[in-house]
Every structure is written in C-alpha cells, then in structure tokens.
Amino acid sequence: MVDAQQMRAEGHDATQSHLSLCAQAAKGGTIKAASGFSATEDAQTLRKAMKGLGTDEDAIISILAYRNTAQRQEIRTAYKTTIGRDLIDDLKSELSGNFERVIVGMMTPTVLYDVQELRRAMKGAGTDEGCLIEILASRTPEEIRRINQTYQLQYGRSLEDDIRSDTSFMFQRVLVSLSAGGRDEGNYLDDALMRQDAQDLYEAGEKKWGTDEVKFLTVLCSRNRNHLLHVFDEYKRISQKDIEQSIKSETSGSFEDTLLAIVKCMRNKSAYFAERLYKSMKGLGTDDETLIRVMVSRAEIDMMDIRENFKRLYGKSLYSFIKGDTSGDYRKVLLILCGGDD
C-alpha cells in the first residue's frame, strides 16, 4: 500500500495530474525565430529606414517585430560591426513616445529589460509598486538571481539596497524576501509540513485578532509551487475561505497586492498577466508602462496562453482591447506581439 505522502511526492493526486496537464497544454509565445535570417541584411535595412529625412517606421516594424530576442541581439551586433553606430541609440533618436519604448524594450536583452524596469520603478520621486510586484512575484528563482547580478553590474549597487531605500514596512520585507531568489524550486511535497503551513496561515490570520503577517511572508515566499497549491487547498478546507479572500481581509496596501500576486502566479501565471493587461487598459486612460512591459516581456514565453486566459476571464480578445486602446505605430507593433485575434 502506497501512503498518501509518497503518492503526493510522486505527483499522483488529482491536483498534480491537473497541473501537468496545464503544463503540457501551454501554448507558448507569439514571437518565434525568423527562418532564413541574416543579421547583416536586417542591419542594412534598418539603417536605410532611419537615414536621411524622415523615418520608415513600417520597415523597422517589419524587421524587429518578426525576429526573436536572440536575433535582435545579433542584428544589434551586425549593425555596430558593419555601420559603426549603435542601433539602440539610432532608434532612440529617430522614434518617440510609446512606440519608441516598445521598440527599445524589444531590443533589450530579457534580464536587462527586467533590471531597467525595476530601476525605473524606484528612480526619482514616487515608486511604481505595481512594476516591482509584477517582476519579483512572477520571475523564477533562477531569473531573480540573474536579475540581481545584472542589476549590480548595471548600477553598481544591489537591487536589495534600492528596494530597502525605496519601500518600507511589510511591503519592503516581502520584496526583499522575493528578491533573494531563494524559493524552493523542487516539486517535493511534505504532507505534514503542508498541513502545518495551512494551519499556521489560518492561525496567523482568520483565527486571531490582528494578523501575523510574517507567517504569510515565510510560507508564500519560500515554499515550492506544488507544495503551495496543496497548502491553498488545505487552507480552504480548514478555513472555509479561499486564501485570496483571507489575504484581502487580513492585509492591506502594497503588501496585500504582493501576496495576491504570488498566489495568482502560483495558480496560473498566464491568467495573472492577462489581469495585468486588462487592468492596464480598462476604464479611462491606459497604463502604457504596464501594457508595454507585459507585451514585450511575455511575447516569447506565454503570450498565447495569456490571450486564452484573457478571453476566458473578460469575454473579449486581448487583440480587440489593444486595438481599441492604442493607435498608430504603437498599436501596430503591439498587435504583432499579441499575434492575432481570438
């Protein structure tokens, strides 16, 4: 007779098979490597598009939006090698506004793009909390470690120090915790610990007057995904409330937003990004920074899945939202990153 713990560890229970189904069914990104690619030819075409009076935006889009990140880096090198100028500098001087921000974002290596966004979120007056939360809650521990190295190289100081000087209280603590990149990356499930965690969260929040916020931080920032998904199920069983409901009633502000983002990313990361996109466009005005960051950073990873979740959650396609909320070359390039209507 196989005991429950062993079965769980081997991933035999329903949630686990459901998880692996989800993983298998992932559709991936919309931007793929172009075949028959020549970095040198692309570099020449781009130079021609920017030389002299006026700029041929369509030519720029037709190349950069149809290459993947690795190919764009090759183009940048070929541009410098054959022309003796920096492609990103040229793009910045020729383009402007949101269109420029998307194109330059697409030209930036993945980790460096995250690093620059984190820096922007903390630089100057005010803090873009949403950006800090989105990146730190959604990236893998390995990605977080690379972000830390690149941040240090790029700015000569640590990401953690900047977080500390720009945030405070429990929000600071949860970001520092996420930025350590120390989450367990395994899949192992310790049944006793899982039950203990669920009980601890229940006793730290719903069961007592006041909230032991550190307990939420510890469990949500250090345990592996498989473990946490079981904790959430067990938590619901003992408290009769979903963990997200409890976080909403027990915590507040940016700390609450961070814990919710962690739970959502554990449950369904593509749905989390679909919600980020929806919120960036719904109502009056557009949060272009979020819209651009999510479209650029997820295009090669899970944009197809984000689209599917967007349609499921909001009844309309991501394509139609972008089309209605943006215009000009900015709209053109975002719609290509989106990859089609649903």
Side-chain angles (χ1 to χ4, degrees):
M1 165 102 181
V2 194
D3 71 345
Q5 186 172 340
Q6 197 183 334
M7 280 180 68
R8 284 229 166 103
E10 290 167 9
H12 280 307
D13 71 41
T15 338
Q16 196 42 35
S17 48
H18 169 67
L19 279 184
S20 42
L21 274 175
C22 290
Q24 284 162 6
K27 295 185 169 159
T30 47
I31 300 291
K32 308 261 190 276
S35 52
F37 162 73
S38 159
T40 313
E41 270 175 47
D42 285 353
Q44 299 301 330
T45 310
L46 287 167
R47 181 66 189 134
K48 214 166 81 189
M50 293 187 279
K51 227 168 95 179
L53 281 173
T55 308
D56 184 351
E57 286 87 1
D58 284 332
I60 293 172
I61 293 171
S62 72
I63 291 188
L64 297 182
Y66 294 98
R67 307 289 182 269
N68 67 6
T69 305
Q71 290 176 328
R72 294 183 202 124
Q73 295 318 302
E74 286 185 54
I75 295 170
R76 188 180 182 187
T77 305
Y79 194 93
K80 196 163 271 183
T81 308
T82 59
I83 300 157
R85 299 172 64 93
D86 185 75
L87 177 54
I88 291 187
D89 289 346
D90 281 358
L91 288 165
K92 280 179 175 170
S93 73
E94 292 293 322
L95 312 176
S96 63
N98 289 322
F99 179 56
E100 176 195 334
R101 280 160 58 197
V102 180
I103 294 290
V104 171
M106 287 161 60
M107 282 303 305
T108 310
T110 313
V111 179
L112 182 58
Y113 184 61
D114 279 348
V115 163
Q116 289 175 352
E117 281 294 290
L118 288 167
R119 179 75 188 117
R120 180 192 57 73
M122 295 185 282
K123 224 168 98 181
T127 306
D128 180 350
E129 293 88 358
C131 171
L132 297 179
I133 295 168
E134 178 196 299
I135 293 175
L136 294 173
S138 69
R139 304 307 190 249
T140 64
E142 176 53 39
E143 287 166 335
I144 299 276
R145 290 193 283 272
R146 271 186 251 150
I147 285 169
N148 276 304
Q149 291 166 349
T150 307
Y151 197 99
Q152 181 75 45
L153 281 170
Q154 201 65 12
Y155 304 114
R157 54 175 180 275
S158 76
L159 171 60
E160 184 186 324
D161 286 345
D162 276 358
I163 290 171
R164 282 185 196 280
S165 65
D166 219 61
T167 58
S168 55
F169 306 117
M170 285 309 297
F171 180 48
Q172 177 192 86
R173 286 175 66 171
V174 73
L175 291 185
V176 165
S177 176
L178 289 171
S179 75
R183 182 184 300 285
D184 167 20
E185 291 172 87
N187 202 27
Y188 180 72
L189 184 72
D190 175 336
D191 221 50
L193 180 65
M194 183 272 289
R195 289 176 202 283
Q196 188 64 56
D197 280 348
Q199 191 61 40
D200 285 351
L201 288 177
Y202 180 52
E203 285 171 11
E206 291 296 337
K207 208 173 160 191
K208 62 184 261 193
W209 191 83
T211 308
D212 177 0
E213 294 165 324
V214 182
K215 184 49 76 178
F216 277 85
L217 181 153
T218 306
V219 173
L220 291 176
C221 292
S222 66
R223 307 290 192 249
N224 73 50
R225 176 170 183 248
N226 185 31
H227 178 95
L228 282 176
L229 292 173
H230 285 91
V231 169
F232 301 158
D233 287 345
E234 176 70 8
Y235 182 87
K236 188 159 196 172
R237 198 183 64 76
I238 55 182
S239 73
Q240 303 301 308
K241 278 179 92 169
D242 186 78
I243 187 80
E244 289 184 37
Q245 282 175 286
S246 290
I247 290 169
K248 283 177 186 165
S249 60
E250 295 298 320
T251 60
S252 63
S254 295
F255 179 58
E256 172 193 343
D257 295 338
T258 312
L259 297 185
L260 287 172
I262 296 169
V263 173
K264 287 170 179 175
C265 285
M266 289 295 155
R267 285 179 159 165
N268 181 342
K269 200 178 280 185
S270 304
Y272 168 72
F273 284 116
E275 184 190 351
R276 292 288 293 160
L277 288 168
Y278 176 73
K279 286 183 170 166
S280 76
M281 293 181 281
K282 79 168 181 23
L284 283 171
T286 307
D287 172 0
D288 293 293
E289 274 157 354
T290 300
L291 175 56
I292 292 169
R293 183 178 56 254
V294 176
M295 295 304 293
V296 168
S297 63
R298 306 311 293 185
E300 277 177 64
I301 303 172
D302 56 357
M303 188 56 70
M304 300 293 282
D305 308 281
I306 291 170
R307 272 167 48 184
E308 191 177 274
N309 281 286
F310 195 98
K311 184 79 188 248
R312 175 179 63 82
L313 292 165
Y314 307 112
K316 287 173 81 174
S317 68
L318 174 59
Y319 191 93
S320 68
F321 254 73
I322 294 171
K323 202 171 175 181
D325 230 56
T326 58
S327 62
D329 295 315
Y330 176 43
R331 166 164 54 185
K332 253 184 225 174
V333 72
L334 286 182
L335 290 177
I336 295 167
L337 293 179
C338 176
D341 203 347
D342 299 298

